[in-house]
Amino acid sequence: MAVISGNNVFSHVMMGAADLEASVNFYDAVLGALGINNLGPFGNGWVLYGRDKPAFIVARPGNGEAPTSNGMTIGFAGATTGEVDAFHAAGLAAGGTDEGAPGARSHLPGAYAAYLRDPAGNKICSYTFTDGN
């Protein structure tokens, strides 16, 4: 049985954190709004997230340097536009910054998304797809 899961696309995603506590508070809020759970700490400074097994990890960079992710965005699936809205609101309340308010996106039919920067400056988003109405 696999210990980590990326829906057979990737094994996992690891996000660097400069302030692990601030990042965990942020990800508990935004991922909790999407029904994704904090599965607890692992090893030295890793925190695992997933629905039933880890797929997303927040950790201090192993080399001790500042996390960097310019040009990278990680998208989390929202089941409804309400979840995407809750994701964005939770992120702002938990110390994130706005990178794109919730709303329709014209580049894909029916796309509805919201973008945030986490406390370390990493860019994340949540997407769902509607029937376009």
Side-chain angles (χ1 to χ4, degrees), residues 17-39:
D19 178 337
L20 189 60
E21 183 178 348
S23 289
V24 167
N25 289 336
F26 176 83
Y27 283 105
D28 283 356
V30 298
L31 297 182
L34 301 176
I36 300 169
N37 304 308
N38 178 330
L39 301 175

mmCIF file of all heavy atoms in Angstrom, residues 17-39:
data_model
loop_
_atom_site.group_PDB
_atom_site.id
_atom_site.type_symbol
_atom_site.label_atom_id
_atom_site.label_comp_id
_atom_site.label_asym_id
_atom_site.label_seq_id
_atom_site.Cartn_x
_atom_site.Cartn_y
_atom_site.Cartn_z
ATOM 1 N N ALA A 17 8.894 26.239 3.984
ATOM 2 C CA ALA A 17 8.364 27.191 4.959
ATOM 3 C C ALA A 17 9.507 27.861 5.703
ATOM 4 O O ALA A 17 10.392 27.183 6.219
ATOM 5 C CB ALA A 17 7.459 26.475 5.961
ATOM 6 N N ALA A 18 9.497 29.181 5.740
ATOM 7 C CA ALA A 18 10.494 29.923 6.520
ATOM 8 C C ALA A 18 10.122 29.889 7.993
ATOM 9 O O ALA A 18 10.977 29.756 8.864
ATOM 10 C CB ALA A 18 10.583 31.358 6.021
ATOM 11 N N ASP A 19 8.837 30.017 8.296
ATOM 12 C CA ASP A 19 8.296 29.973 9.650
ATOM 13 C C ASP A 19 7.283 28.837 9.666
ATOM 14 O O ASP A 19 6.142 28.999 9.222
ATOM 15 C CB ASP A 19 7.637 31.317 9.987
ATOM 16 C CG ASP A 19 7.003 31.361 11.367
ATOM 17 O OD1 ASP A 19 6.661 30.296 11.927
ATOM 18 O OD2 ASP A 19 6.827 32.474 11.883
ATOM 19 N N LEU A 20 7.707 27.664 10.128
ATOM 20 C CA LEU A 20 6.869 26.473 10.049
ATOM 21 C C LEU A 20 5.539 26.667 10.779
ATOM 22 O O LEU A 20 4.489 26.278 10.272
ATOM 23 C CB LEU A 20 7.610 25.249 10.582
ATOM 24 C CG LEU A 20 6.915 23.906 10.361
ATOM 25 C CD1 LEU A 20 6.704 23.632 8.878
ATOM 26 C CD2 LEU A 20 7.713 22.786 10.993
ATOM 27 N N GLU A 21 5.557 27.277 11.946
ATOM 28 C CA GLU A 21 4.323 27.467 12.705
ATOM 29 C C GLU A 21 3.326 28.332 11.935
ATOM 30 O O GLU A 21 2.137 28.001 11.836
ATOM 31 C CB GLU A 21 4.610 28.092 14.067
ATOM 32 C CG GLU A 21 3.363 28.237 14.921
ATOM 33 C CD GLU A 21 3.647 28.805 16.300
ATOM 34 O OE1 GLU A 21 4.820 28.899 16.711
ATOM 35 O OE2 GLU A 21 2.672 29.166 16.976
ATOM 36 N N ALA A 22 3.793 29.433 11.358
ATOM 37 C CA ALA A 22 2.908 30.313 10.575
ATOM 38 C C ALA A 22 2.376 29.575 9.354
ATOM 39 O O ALA A 22 1.196 29.696 9.016
ATOM 40 C CB ALA A 22 3.645 31.578 10.155
ATOM 41 N N SER A 23 3.226 28.805 8.698
ATOM 42 C CA SER A 23 2.782 28.065 7.519
ATOM 43 C C SER A 23 1.782 26.974 7.882
ATOM 44 O O SER A 23 0.793 26.773 7.178
ATOM 45 C CB SER A 23 3.981 27.462 6.780
ATOM 46 O OG SER A 23 4.721 28.493 6.153
ATOM 47 N N VAL A 24 2.003 26.273 8.984
ATOM 48 C CA VAL A 24 1.057 25.243 9.416
ATOM 49 C C VAL A 24 -0.289 25.877 9.765
ATOM 50 O O VAL A 24 -1.344 25.357 9.368
ATOM 51 C CB VAL A 24 1.629 24.413 10.590
ATOM 52 C CG1 VAL A 24 0.557 23.553 11.248
ATOM 53 C CG2 VAL A 24 2.781 23.540 10.091
ATOM 54 N N ASN A 25 -0.290 26.989 10.463
ATOM 55 C CA ASN A 25 -1.550 27.674 10.761
ATOM 56 C C ASN A 25 -2.273 28.051 9.473
ATOM 57 O O ASN A 25 -3.491 27.890 9.357
ATOM 58 C CB ASN A 25 -1.312 28.918 11.618
ATOM 59 C CG ASN A 25 -0.908 28.588 13.027
ATOM 60 O OD1 ASN A 25 -1.204 27.513 13.539
ATOM 61 N ND2 ASN A 25 -0.210 29.507 13.676
ATOM 62 N N PHE A 26 -1.539 28.566 8.492
ATOM 63 C CA PHE A 26 -2.102 28.945 7.203
ATOM 64 C C PHE A 26 -2.678 27.724 6.478
ATOM 65 O O PHE A 26 -3.831 27.729 6.036
ATOM 66 C CB PHE A 26 -1.026 29.619 6.347
ATOM 67 C CG PHE A 26 -1.463 29.958 4.957
ATOM 68 C CD1 PHE A 26 -2.163 31.125 4.702
ATOM 69 C CD2 PHE A 26 -1.164 29.111 3.903
ATOM 70 C CE1 PHE A 26 -2.567 31.451 3.411
ATOM 71 C CE2 PHE A 26 -1.560 29.428 2.610
ATOM 72 C CZ PHE A 26 -2.267 30.598 2.368
ATOM 73 N N TYR A 27 -1.897 26.662 6.341
ATOM 74 C CA TYR A 27 -2.361 25.487 5.606
ATOM 75 C C TYR A 27 -3.463 24.728 6.341
ATOM 76 O O TYR A 27 -4.343 24.147 5.702
ATOM 77 C CB TYR A 27 -1.193 24.584 5.202
ATOM 78 C CG TYR A 27 -0.470 25.173 4.014
ATOM 79 C CD1 TYR A 27 0.758 25.795 4.146
ATOM 80 C CD2 TYR A 27 -1.070 25.169 2.759
ATOM 81 C CE1 TYR A 27 1.384 26.374 3.057
ATOM 82 C CE2 TYR A 27 -0.449 25.754 1.665
ATOM 83 C CZ TYR A 27 0.769 26.348 1.826
ATOM 84 O OH TYR A 27 1.380 26.936 0.736
ATOM 85 N N ASP A 28 -3.448 24.736 7.669
ATOM 86 C CA ASP A 28 -4.576 24.163 8.400
ATOM 87 C C ASP A 28 -5.868 24.871 7.996
ATOM 88 O O ASP A 28 -6.903 24.238 7.787
ATOM 89 C CB ASP A 28 -4.390 24.304 9.916
ATOM 90 C CG ASP A 28 -3.416 23.312 10.517
ATOM 91 O OD1 ASP A 28 -2.904 22.426 9.796
ATOM 92 O OD2 ASP A 28 -3.144 23.432 11.736
ATOM 93 N N ALA A 29 -5.813 26.203 7.866
ATOM 94 C CA ALA A 29 -7.001 26.986 7.520
ATOM 95 C C ALA A 29 -7.431 26.770 6.079
ATOM 96 O O ALA A 29 -8.578 26.401 5.813
ATOM 97 C CB ALA A 29 -6.741 28.473 7.786
ATOM 98 N N VAL A 30 -6.531 26.985 5.118
ATOM 99 C CA VAL A 30 -6.943 26.917 3.709
ATOM 100 C C VAL A 30 -7.267 25.494 3.268
ATOM 101 O O VAL A 30 -8.252 25.269 2.562
ATOM 102 C CB VAL A 30 -5.921 27.571 2.740
ATOM 103 C CG1 VAL A 30 -5.746 29.037 3.033
ATOM 104 C CG2 VAL A 30 -4.600 26.854 2.707
ATOM 105 N N LEU A 31 -6.461 24.531 3.686
ATOM 106 C CA LEU A 31 -6.735 23.156 3.276
ATOM 107 C C LEU A 31 -7.918 22.582 4.041
ATOM 108 O O LEU A 31 -8.695 21.793 3.493
ATOM 109 C CB LEU A 31 -5.488 22.295 3.433
ATOM 110 C CG LEU A 31 -4.306 22.713 2.555
ATOM 111 C CD1 LEU A 31 -3.127 21.772 2.745
ATOM 112 C CD2 LEU A 31 -4.700 22.807 1.089
ATOM 113 N N GLY A 32 -8.085 22.997 5.294
ATOM 114 C CA GLY A 32 -9.260 22.584 6.057
ATOM 115 C C GLY A 32 -10.545 23.008 5.376
ATOM 116 O O GLY A 32 -11.541 22.284 5.391
ATOM 117 N N ALA A 33 -10.531 24.183 4.740
ATOM 118 C CA ALA A 33 -11.707 24.669 4.014
ATOM 119 C C ALA A 33 -12.042 23.776 2.830
ATOM 120 O O ALA A 33 -13.178 23.769 2.355
ATOM 121 C CB ALA A 33 -11.480 26.108 3.542
ATOM 122 N N LEU A 34 -11.069 22.998 2.355
ATOM 123 C CA LEU A 34 -11.267 22.078 1.237
ATOM 124 C C LEU A 34 -11.437 20.630 1.695
ATOM 125 O O LEU A 34 -11.500 19.717 0.877
ATOM 126 C CB LEU A 34 -10.084 22.164 0.267
ATOM 127 C CG LEU A 34 -9.812 23.533 -0.351
ATOM 128 C CD1 LEU A 34 -8.555 23.481 -1.203
ATOM 129 C CD2 LEU A 34 -11.007 24.009 -1.173
ATOM 130 N N GLY A 35 -11.485 20.408 3.005
ATOM 131 C CA GLY A 35 -11.630 19.051 3.524
ATOM 132 C C GLY A 35 -10.353 18.244 3.516
ATOM 133 O O GLY A 35 -10.370 17.018 3.596
ATOM 134 N N ILE A 36 -9.208 18.933 3.433
ATOM 135 C CA ILE A 36 -7.903 18.271 3.468
ATOM 136 C C ILE A 36 -7.362 18.419 4.885
ATOM 137 O O ILE A 36 -7.358 19.507 5.446
ATOM 138 C CB ILE A 36 -6.945 18.885 2.427
ATOM 139 C CG1 ILE A 36 -7.533 18.725 1.023
ATOM 140 C CG2 ILE A 36 -5.557 18.259 2.530
ATOM 141 C CD1 ILE A 36 -6.823 19.520 -0.053
ATOM 142 N N ASN A 37 -6.891 17.322 5.459
ATOM 143 C CA ASN A 37 -6.528 17.271 6.875
ATOM 144 C C ASN A 37 -5.043 17.416 7.148
ATOM 145 O O ASN A 37 -4.212 16.943 6.366
ATOM 146 C CB ASN A 37 -6.979 15.928 7.464
ATOM 147 C CG ASN A 37 -8.444 15.693 7.255
ATOM 148 O OD1 ASN A 37 -9.276 16.523 7.588
ATOM 149 N ND2 ASN A 37 -8.775 14.553 6.665
ATOM 150 N N ASN A 38 -4.726 18.027 8.287
ATOM 151 C CA ASN A 38 -3.374 18.002 8.837
ATOM 152 C C ASN A 38 -3.224 16.616 9.447
ATOM 153 O O ASN A 38 -3.906 16.282 10.412
ATOM 154 C CB ASN A 38 -3.204 19.100 9.886
ATOM 155 C CG ASN A 38 -1.835 19.093 10.529
ATOM 156 O OD1 ASN A 38 -1.197 18.055 10.666
ATOM 157 N ND2 ASN A 38 -1.383 20.261 10.957
ATOM 158 N N LEU A 39 -2.358 15.796 8.867
ATOM 159 C CA LEU A 39 -2.162 14.431 9.333
ATOM 160 C C LEU A 39 -1.063 14.331 10.378
ATOM 161 O O LEU A 39 -0.756 13.238 10.848
ATOM 162 C CB LEU A 39 -1.859 13.513 8.147
ATOM 163 C CG LEU A 39 -2.950 13.479 7.064
ATOM 164 C CD1 LEU A 39 -2.486 12.631 5.877
ATOM 165 C CD2 LEU A 39 -4.267 12.988 7.610
#
